Amino acid sequence: MSAHMAGRWALSVGLLLLVMAPMVTPGTYYLFMLILVFIYSVVAIGLNILAGYGGQISLGHAALMAMGAYTSALVSKGLEVSPMIVASGLNVWIGMVAGTIVASVFGALLAYPSLRVKGPYLAMVTIAFGWVIWKILLEWVSVTGGELGITAVPKARIGSFVLTTPYYYYIALAAVVMAMILQRNLIQSEFGRRLQAVKYSEIAAASVGIDVYHEKVKVFIISAAFAGFGGALFAHQQNFVNPDSFEFFSSIFFLLAVLFGGAGTLAGPLIGVAVLTLLPELLHDFDRIRLIVYGVFILVTLYVLPKGVAGVFQRRPGSVAPGFSVEPIDKNRSDPAPVAGTDNPAVVSDAQSSPLLEVQGLSKAFGGLTALANFSFTIMPGQVHAVIGPNGAGKTTLINLLSGFYKPDAGTIRILGNPLKISSLHAAARLGISRTFQTIKLFGDMSSVENVMVGFELHSETRLWDSLFRTGRGRNQEQLRFEEAKSLMEFVGLGDHVNTPANALSYGHRRLLEIARALAVRPRLLFLDEPAAGLVSEEIDTLKDLIASLRRLGIGILLVEHHMDLVSAISDHITVIDYGQVIARGDPASIQRDERVIEAYLGTTADDA
Amino acid sequence: MMLDVENLRVGYGSLEVIKGISFNVREGEIVTILGSNGAGKSTTLRTISGLHRAGSGRIAFNGEDITRSSAARIAGSGLCMVPEGRQLFPDHTVLENLELGAFRRLRAGQSRAVKQDMDELLEMFPRIRERVNQKAGLLSGGEQQMVALARALISRPKLLMLDEPSLGLAPILVRSLFDTFKKLRDSGVTLLLVEQMARMALSICDRAYVLESGTVMTSGSREEILDHPGVLEAYLGKAVNA
């Protein structure tokens, strides 16, 4: 039996036991505890999506949960004035929906300003938010009831049938199962890939056109919705709400549960919440040293299992990414289908005679240091333009200027005759500019094919809706993207590494993977920053062929490279710069004879080419 | 024998990358490891320097078993590695980065000798001399590579392991770099070199090992490897014009 099947079995058996629990448990105490576990898990799952998968730490989730709880309590109580609604029992359900929505809105209000900062700063902002909400709950007595809170929150009902603890148990169970499914759907979709891509490298994510800031805001709102829904469930279980339940410590509890269970794993939040909620109950015998035992237990577990409990069962490198049917790779297939597709802007643009890229008088200085001075050049469609020069001459600065990472001090950049204003990092990709990085920036331990799939960002028609509910359209799109990404990988010669985690690839292969990802953007213009570094000569030959076929497709290529074999074999035009100034331009043959180039760059002896 | 690796096996999770390799480096030699990407060259160096755990096998440095030693201890015993991909302290100046490399020697009171070495190194890399007071993170990629090398050299290692030292360097610098390696060898430093520019590496080494899929495919003296038809084909490129 495979690990996957074993997992399914364990899941089914566990679910069956939970479904049967109310029938076999004496009294309601244990059910009560389990309901709490389910409700907290909904909140923790939301936090796991944000923190575990998205890498954004929030220490204000208890406050978001409070928004859901208070809103639902107030709305459902307020609706009690209408006898019709009360008779149907709808007031509670409406309250829950309202609670979820209000928490999301507050999530958005919190996210828009605070996600401009990151890391510890974001955590600080969320702590402050938590304090403010908690204080408001305490002080705004006329609405929130102050310290005493809101009492007589209505119980959930269907018609006149009151859902007492054993029945509410099933509501909570259904809620947590739903939350688990939504979490899985989100994570194993395009949305989840983007989310993790942003976590691993914001720069690389932006380079394929992902709007990093909005992506972070979006996930924060989703996470807040989970917290609000959990809060609403909580209000109607407890039948009263007061600020005590939503103190700062509760926010820490949720983050701890996620870390303990395994941040960035699907089962992690559930395991974490279950252990951290039930353990104190089981430790009753220890009486006074109970909390010490509890603390030490958590400490030791996190020390022994740094990836949390669920981290032990994580999929191993080399295993198949979930959700894709992977058949053996057909080695004979090498046509660059995805690049040559009809919707490829590079092929569509028939303006063979007008330049793709025109740069005039481009200048950039850092402090007093001129990195690039008055630089001009053009790239025609299907042309390879190489820029070479000694280390520190300004080559990478040029690429950074053209792809929107730096703002030029002076000069104009035109693409297809239109002046280019690159307002943000991700805007360049939308204009058909794609690049690779000199210091490789891939998305950590995501599989290689997933790395490439992130590159399709701009060409995706999948909506968040499709991801959340796994619509047929969404699934078709996924399979299509997977096939496309796979053929791009075959195109760059990585066909055997489709499921290898990106960080397990060797250095040279990581470079090729970056090229595949850059091609997924379907660029008109491709900037390659030292693509041959770390490749052996056989692989450089492959790279040569690769660039040649990209050129045939009409893509304009800017090549920064030290490997002169490659540069002279593939370039139409070479510009040599030193100290930010152009010292020579021309075709490969004339450049290799140029005295200044030999002196500054190639070296005088030619015994090693 | 300065470095002796016996039947080394290394893996990542369930994936075995190094499948039982043996090789050695004698004092005063330049030994190079060739092989295509994914053959296990970097993993071998990382394992020797203690950054990755060996699955089984034995690594001895100057007769002492270092298979299970910590990275800091191994570096302290004079076995120094220049990692692929620079890894400088970006917020420190170039000079501070170099001084950190000389940390053990400065503590041992060799500041005069360190200063002399520093001058020699800056002589070798004039581009760094111009930027000695800049933050290392602001340097271009190739300049950072030079600083990483200089930082390793200034610690006066007994055995220096270099992972792709030519990465990102202009051709003119690659040449002077390899000349430097020869000079270093003549001054008593032993070198273990992983390099994708195989022709360059073979022009200065004494012996070479060729790795393929985690095993030693062939090994021998520089001349033997240069005469080996398979190696020429795979790692030196067909258009041989040297």
Side-chain angles (χ1 to χ4, degrees):
Chain A
M1 188 161 40
S2 71
H4 187 64
M5 285 294 288
R8 287 227 155 154
W9 269 100
L11 206 65
S12 315
V13 171
L15 204 56
L16 192 69
L17 284 177
L18 286 175
V19 168
M20 281 167 41
M23 300 162 206
V24 294
T25 336
T28 55
Y29 175 74
Y30 289 105
L31 288 185
F32 192 86
M33 291 308 299
L34 281 174
I35 293 175
L36 271 187
V37 169
F38 296 157
I39 292 174
Y40 289 160
S41 292
V42 171
V43 181
I45 286 167
L47 185 59
N48 186 40
I49 295 173
L50 179 72
Y53 288 103
Q56 315 289 324
I57 302 291
S58 163
L59 277 166
H61 259 51
L64 292 167
M65 188 185 173
M67 298 308 301
Y70 272 78
T71 305
S72 190
L74 288 169
V75 169
S76 59
K77 273 189 90 165
L79 288 173
E80 277 179 334
V81 294
S82 155
M84 239 183 42
I85 291 179
V86 172
S88 64
L90 275 175
N91 57 334
V92 171
W93 308 110
I94 293 172
M96 285 187 181
V97 172
T100 309
I101 292 171
V102 168
S104 319
V105 170
F106 270 82
L109 289 178
L110 175 61
Y112 270 103
S114 58
L115 282 171
R116 299 242 179 242
V117 297
K118 49 183 153 180
Y121 301 100
L122 175 66
M124 282 307 171
V125 173
T126 56
I127 289 175
F129 170 77
W131 278 109
V132 170
I133 295 294
W134 186 67
K135 265 290 173 198
I136 290 175
L137 295 180
L138 272 178
E139 302 298 337
W140 197 11
V141 180
S142 59
V143 175
T144 64
E147 230 172 308
L148 297 174
I150 300 168
T151 52
V153 175
K155 275 199 179 303
R157 279 179 300 118
I158 296 170
S160 58
F161 182 76
V162 178
L163 298 172
T164 52
T165 300
Y167 297 100
Y168 201 70
Y169 174 89
Y170 286 109
I171 300 290
L173 180 59
V176 79
V177 168
M178 190 183 79
M180 288 290 280
I181 291 172
L182 289 181
Q183 172 185 234
R184 185 204 61 180
N185 289 356
L186 268 181
I187 295 312
Q188 294 177 2
S189 74
E190 194 182 274
F191 177 86
R193 263 198 312 274
R194 234 165 21 216
L195 186 62
Q196 294 176 72
V198 168
K199 175 173 79 170
Y200 286 121
S201 171
E202 293 189 10
I203 289 176
S207 81
V208 297
I210 292 175
D211 185 339
V212 171
Y213 171 61
H214 282 105
E215 210 55 48
K216 288 200 257 180
V217 169
K218 214 192 287 177
V219 65
F220 201 95
I221 294 173
I222 291 172
S223 182
F226 275 83
F229 181 54
L233 285 170
F234 182 76
H236 299 285
Q237 184 226 12
Q238 301 274 322
N239 303 118
F240 75 93
V241 284
N242 73 355
D244 284 357
S245 315
F246 309 108
E247 275 183 293
F248 177 56
F249 179 77
S250 307
S251 290
I252 296 179
F253 168 83
F254 289 122
L255 192 60
L256 184 61
V258 168
L259 292 175
F260 183 89
T265 62
L266 292 175
L270 194 61
I271 295 171
V273 167
V275 173
L276 297 189
T277 310
L278 300 178
L279 190 66
E281 302 300 318
L282 300 176
L283 292 175
H284 265 314
D285 296 346
F286 289 95
D287 195 29
R288 265 190 306 181
I289 59 162
R290 192 175 68 129
L291 282 179
I292 299 174
V293 174
Y294 180 68
V296 168
F297 174 78
I298 292 169
L299 235 126
V300 169
T301 313
L302 284 178
Y303 182 75
V304 181
L305 307 172
K307 282 180 173 174
V309 179
V312 180
F313 306 105
Q314 249 180 338
R315 77 181 148 108
R316 299 254 166 76
S319 72
V320 174
F324 305 117
S325 56
V326 181
E327 65 274 25
I329 291 147
D330 181 4
K331 294 226 171 155
N332 300 324
R333 203 179 135 197
S334 62
D335 56 319
V339 191
T342 44
D343 51 347
N344 184 346
V347 181
V348 175
S349 69
D350 54 355
Q352 291 291 324
S353 51
S354 66
L356 261 180
L357 178 73
E358 271 177 292
V359 172
Q360 236 159 30
L362 201 63
S363 298
K364 178 75 186 171
F366 298 102
L369 198 76
T370 307
L372 203 61
N374 200 17
F375 188 82
S376 305
F377 79 121
T378 55
I379 297 183
M380 306 294 281
Q383 205 183 45
V384 177
H385 193 125
V387 174
I388 61 172
N391 300 108
K395 302 180 299 288
T396 298
T397 302
L398 174 66
I399 288 189
N400 283 340
L401 282 168
L402 295 177
S403 53
F405 281 67
Y406 300 150
K407 279 198 172 36
D409 296 336
T412 55
I413 303 168
R414 282 167 182 273
I415 287 193
L416 289 168
N418 303 313
L420 169 68
K421 264 204 127 149
I422 305 172
S423 49
S424 59
L425 293 187
H426 60 267
R430 294 189 184 185
L431 294 162
I433 299 173
S434 167
R435 68 172 290 183
T436 64
F437 295 89
Q438 192 185 345
T439 46
I440 302 172
K441 296 187 193 331
L442 287 167
F443 305 128
D445 57 10
M446 290 166 74
S447 74
S448 297
V449 75
E450 285 173 311
N451 266 271
V452 179
M453 286 166 83
V454 171
F456 291 123
E457 159 73 12
L458 292 175
H459 309 284
S460 162
E461 289 150 31
T462 317
R463 301 272 159 271
L464 184 58
W465 189 262
D466 295 315
S467 303
L468 266 177
F469 300 105
R470 281 217 174 171
T471 59
R473 201 169 78 110
R475 282 204 304 269
N476 285 341
Q477 286 258 330
E478 273 293 275
Q479 193 63 39
L480 219 68
R481 295 288 171 237
F482 177 71
E483 296 296 334
E484 268 184 79
K486 215 171 71 177
S487 33
L488 272 179
M489 287 188 67
E490 281 159 27
F491 181 57
V492 301
L494 288 177
D496 294 337
H497 297 281
V498 169
N499 291 306
T500 314
N503 55 11
L505 288 177
S506 67
Y507 192 84
H509 287 165
R510 276 184 267 158
R511 286 212 173 275
L512 294 175
L513 185 61
E514 264 208 338
I515 296 178
R517 181 180 67 193
L519 289 177
V521 176
R522 294 181 194 146
R524 287 188 182 98
L525 266 170
L526 180 63
F527 301 158
L528 299 172
D529 200 348
E530 296 195 20
L535 299 188
V536 298
S537 60
E538 210 178 7
E539 293 163 330
I540 291 175
D541 287 341
T542 315
L543 182 68
K544 237 180 251 175
D545 298 342
L546 181 75
I547 294 177
S549 46
L550 293 176
R551 175 160 63 176
R552 278 195 297 276
L553 292 168
I555 298 176
I557 293 169
L558 174 62
L559 175 69
V560 166
E561 182 53 65
H562 286 305
H563 210 283
M564 280 310 286
D565 266 0
L566 177 69
V567 170
S568 15
I570 204 80
S571 309
D572 299 296
H573 203 85
I574 299 177
T575 302
V576 190
I577 53 178
D578 193 13
Y579 289 101
Q581 313 271 356
V582 175
I583 59 167
R585 15 172 129 244
D587 57 53
S590 66
I591 289 297
Q592 278 179 316
R593 283 193 307 267
D594 190 296
E595 290 285 327
R596 290 181 68 186
V597 179
I598 291 170
E599 192 194 335
Y601 182 65
L602 293 172
T604 39
T605 54
D607 55 353
D608 270 294
Chain B
M1 209 63 73
M2 187 161 227
L3 182 73
D4 205 350
V5 175
E6 268 173 56
N7 204 19
L8 183 70
R9 287 175 181 273
V10 191
Y12 295 94
S14 54
L15 196 74
E16 190 163 62
V17 186
I18 305 291
K19 298 160 185 166
I21 60 169
S22 302
F23 67 96
N24 55 56
V25 182
R26 288 187 278 264
E27 189 162 359
E29 269 189 326
I30 298 180
V31 172
T32 183
I33 301 180
L34 305 174
S36 55
N37 267 292
K41 295 170 296 178
S42 296
T43 305
T44 304
L45 291 201
R46 287 176 59 80
T47 310
I48 294 171
S49 56
L51 296 170
H52 201 88
R53 278 259 164 266
S56 65
R58 185 171 179 275
I59 305 166
F61 179 54
N62 281 332
E64 188 195 346
D65 188 339
I66 56 163
T67 319
R68 306 273 162 216
S69 303
S70 73
R73 209 189 129 90
I74 292 170
S77 69
L79 204 172
C80 183
M81 173 160 94
V82 182
E84 183 183 63
R86 294 130 200 187
Q87 317 211 352
L88 298 180
F89 304 103
D91 290 331
H92 285 58
T93 66
V94 169
L95 192 65
E96 285 165 341
N97 265 281
L98 295 179
E99 282 168 356
L100 279 165
F103 154 76
R104 275 170 198 281
R105 295 178 64 197
L106 288 171
R107 206 172 52 174
Q110 307 176 16
S111 53
R112 181 167 300 210
V114 167
K115 187 162 181 336
Q116 197 184 338
D117 285 1
M118 189 89 82
D119 287 343
E120 270 174 35
L121 282 170
L122 293 177
E123 197 70 40
M124 197 158 81
F125 301 114
R127 204 77 184 216
I128 307 185
R129 185 201 291 277
E130 295 165 25
R131 317 228 149 152
V132 105
N133 291 315
Q134 273 184 38
K135 282 190 178 175
L138 294 177
L139 265 52
S140 87
E143 288 167 340
Q144 292 190 20
Q145 180 71 19
M146 296 178 218
V147 178
L149 264 170
R151 186 179 61 182
L153 288 175
I154 204 150
S155 73
R156 280 263 178 109
K158 291 185 198 130
L159 172 60
L160 183 62
M161 298 196 293
L162 299 140
D163 196 356
E164 306 262 2
S166 75
L167 206 69
L169 295 186
I172 192 170
L173 267 168
V174 174
R175 278 198 193 95
S176 76
L177 185 69
F178 278 78
D179 288 342
T180 309
F181 292 159
K182 269 193 277 191
K183 272 187 232 151
L184 279 172
R185 190 241 332 254
D186 297 343
S187 73
V189 180
T190 310
L191 288 109
L192 178 57
L193 179 65
V194 162
E195 178 58 57
Q196 50 103 355
M197 296 177 99
R199 181 155 297 281
M200 266 296 188
L202 281 175
S203 74
I204 61 158
C205 78
D206 300 296
R207 288 187 301 127
Y209 291 85
V210 180
L211 284 197
E212 203 168 273
S213 322
T215 56
V216 176
M217 186 186 87
T218 181
S219 65
S221 69
R222 179 167 76 121
E223 291 74 20
E224 283 165 352
I225 295 294
L226 280 169
D227 284 342
H228 197 289
V231 174
L232 273 183
E233 179 90 358
Y235 307 112
L236 301 184
K238 282 147 238 149
V240 179
N241 52 9

